[in-house]
Amino acid sequence: MTRPTARTQARAAARLAAVQALYQHDMEQTPLATLLHEFHNHRIGATIEDVEYADADIDFFDDIVKGVHARLGEIDRAIEDKLAKGWSLNRLDKPMKAILRAGTYELLARHDVPVGAVISEYVDVAHAFYEKRESGFVNGLLDAIAKIARA
């Protein structure tokens, strides 16, 4: 097994931080500029309550958070189109919405990132919050969105 590069680790940390920021924005309606400032200066690369937050690719983090915010309607429609009949985005909890929104944004806007990398990275993020079943849900939904977004 190959060891992840520093760039890969920084992007993985950026994805996790972006999901946390999107979740916080959804919960508290924190203005975007305030949210970015907080993460840049107080979360990313910091140690909070004995938890060390990894250094993240700040530009990548900013792109995901700002991109989801700017394209939220399009992203939510793409997710809703792939949910099972009778399901809506409102039935999903906020961490799941944040994961799916960030992953969908990358599939729609970041064609420089391979589909497999996007999906596996957000499945890894899902593991930080959920059990195996939910990770499988993230995998299946992002795969279905990728088939449309990257067709």
Side-chain angles (χ1 to χ4, degrees), residues 35-71:
L35 189 66
L36 293 173
H37 177 80
E38 179 185 327
F39 271 78
H40 291 178
N41 295 299
H42 304 292
R43 298 260 186 105
I44 295 172
T47 301
I48 303 169
E49 296 176 7
D50 296 327
V51 176
E52 195 172 318
Y53 288 78
D55 279 326
D57 180 332
I58 298 292
D59 292 336
F60 195 66
F61 165 81
D62 285 356
D63 181 61
I64 295 168
V65 175
K66 290 177 181 176
V68 168
H69 189 262
R71 296 176 72 172

Side-chain angles (χ1 to χ4, degrees), residues 10-28:
R11 282 198 162 186
R15 287 181 177 101
L16 179 58
V19 167
Q20 291 169 328
L22 292 168
Y23 169 79
Q24 183 176 330
H25 181 70
D26 201 16
M27 289 293 293
E28 302 172 0

